[in-house]
Amino acid sequence: MNHDNLEEYRDADTYDFINGGFEIGGNFYLNLAREYGSPILEIACGTGRITVPMAEQGYNITGVDITQEMLEAARQKATHHGVSVKWVHGDARNLELQRTYRMIFTTGNSFQAFLDRHSQERLLLTVHKHLDSNGVFAFETRNPIMSQLSTSNGKEEDAGAYVNKEGRTVFVTERCLYDHRTQLEHYVTRRRWKTKSSAEESAETRIAIRYVFPQELEALLHYNGFYLEQMYGNFDLSPFQSDSPLMVCVCRKRPI
Ligand SMILES: C[S@@+](CC[C@H](N)C(=O)[O-])C[C@H]1O[C@@H](n2cnc3c(N)ncnc32)[C@H](O)[C@@H]1O
């Protein structure tokens, strides 16, 4: 892979515009916060989609992200909503905040941004180091359903359209290829729109996401110091099944 895998996050406005608000996963993580309390650490917090609403609910929360553009958007959002959040620009694989938290979470399927076992283990070590001994670590990752992984096989396919902030219709196509050897799904997304003067504009981004299989995930957590207390199949707390869309994990710390 010859890119930094962050191209999708350089345009934070588009990210927010497409990925919406608190509704995806927000209540699930908020309910855990109600149970465990502050302080909370959100890893790969992006534009503060969940961080800011949690701060509005009175939680003491820190958001960490590697992409400056996403963090800047998060900062502006917090200011706009009049809430205080501690923002940290950093790499979750290599983080030292010199304190511990009652709850650590990562959402928006950010777990899939850690592309190989080494990165996943560095992330888990960061979590382990920063989690209170009776705290909770929660995250979700997409369930790798074999029949759904990259059915397009690298062909360019229509991925819909949306109207951007300037009122222009943006047409999106995607090329997606799943490599089972690495368990990486590679996406090339092309967005096309017309400017005011009717000139054609386009932008291309590339991203890879890593899939983990259910038993692999359980082993990864086990060998990196976590008990997997619950694995749900979605944010509605439905039990995990072979065809569930997500693996929503609630973990406790195990001594290592
Ligand atoms: C899909 S977005 C999710 C953002 C946010 N959690 C949400 O739910 O909207 C993934 C985020 O992970 C961040 N990220 C990727 N690798 C990271 C790393 N090694 N350390 C910290 N953040 C990382 C990206 O910058 C991006 O903001």
Side-chain angles (χ1 to χ4, degrees):
M1 207 173 59
N2 55 359
H3 58 93
D4 67 4
N5 211 36
L6 298 172
E7 290 177 358
E8 268 296 312
Y9 309 125
R10 298 291 177 206
D11 179 353
D13 280 349
T14 300
Y15 177 89
D16 257 357
F17 196 76
I18 295 170
N19 290 284
F22 186 72
E23 52 287 347
I24 303 165
N27 280 326
F28 173 81
Y29 290 104
L30 189 56
N31 283 334
L32 273 183
R34 289 193 181 111
E35 200 178 325
Y36 286 88
S38 300
I40 300 172
L41 174 63
E42 183 183 356
I43 291 181
C45 62
T47 61
R49 185 178 69 84
I50 306 294
T51 340
V52 170
M54 277 208 181
E56 282 182 303
Q57 295 285 318
Y59 292 100
N60 169 341
I61 187 162
T62 297
V64 176
D65 203 280
I66 200 171
T67 310
Q68 279 285 20
E69 290 85 343
M70 296 292 264
L71 264 191
E72 188 45 41
R75 269 198 195 99
Q76 285 175 16
K77 206 180 281 178
T79 305
H80 181 75
H81 287 257
V83 291
S84 156
V85 174
K86 183 171 176 2
W87 302 110
V88 177
H89 179 229
D91 184 339
R93 292 166 295 187
N94 194 14
L95 198 68
E96 191 44 79
L97 299 177
Q98 310 288 352
R99 60 166 307 174
T100 60
Y101 296 84
R102 294 279 308 141
M103 170 173 166
I104 301 182
F105 73 102
T106 185
T107 187
N109 295 300
S110 299
F111 190 79
Q112 294 186 258
F114 297 85
L115 299 184
D116 55 23
R117 183 170 56 80
H118 184 62
S119 297
Q120 293 164 339
E121 291 191 326
R122 297 267 300 274
L123 164 71
L124 293 176
L125 183 62
T126 291
V127 174
H128 202 274
K129 194 161 65 175
H130 289 90
L131 190 63
D132 278 357
S133 51
N134 56 357
V136 69
F137 167 48
F139 66 98
E140 84 285 350
T141 181
R142 295 179 189 86
N143 183 19
I145 301 172
M146 290 308 288
S147 58
Q148 293 175 10
L149 284 171
S150 194
T151 44
S152 67
N153 228 3
K155 271 200 325 282
E156 187 163 15
E157 290 193 333
D158 181 16
Y162 62 92
V163 179
N164 70 10
K165 276 201 321 199
E166 288 78 41
R168 311 267 148 215
T169 304
V170 181
F171 297 95
V172 187
T173 59
E174 259 172 15
R175 276 184 282 135
C176 174
L177 192 62
Y178 176 65
D179 177 351
H180 189 56
R181 189 184 60 82
T182 55
Q183 294 174 204
L184 291 179
E185 192 166 49
H186 298 270
Y187 282 88
V188 181
T189 303
R190 178 180 283 276
R191 298 186 172 91
R192 293 185 181 85
W193 66 96
K194 284 206 166 120
T195 62
K196 246 189 192 151
S197 59
S198 291
E200 281 268 357
E201 289 270 3
S202 72
E204 197 171 85
T205 55
R206 293 157 299 167
I207 193 168
I209 58 174
R210 167 71 190 267
Y211 280 87
V212 284
F213 283 76
Q215 295 306 314
E216 174 192 10
L217 183 55
E218 198 271 335
L220 190 63
L221 290 165
H222 174 81
Y223 289 112
N224 286 280
F226 294 95
Y227 299 109
L228 178 55
E229 268 200 354
Q230 291 287 350
M231 190 195 278
Y232 300 110
N234 209 337
F235 292 122
D236 60 6
L237 309 188
S238 51
F240 177 72
Q241 295 186 328
S242 300
D243 60 351
S244 297
L246 295 174
M247 295 183 276
V248 182
C249 300
V250 179
C251 312
R252 304 296 299 264
K253 188 164 160 171
R254 204 166 62 75
I256 41 176

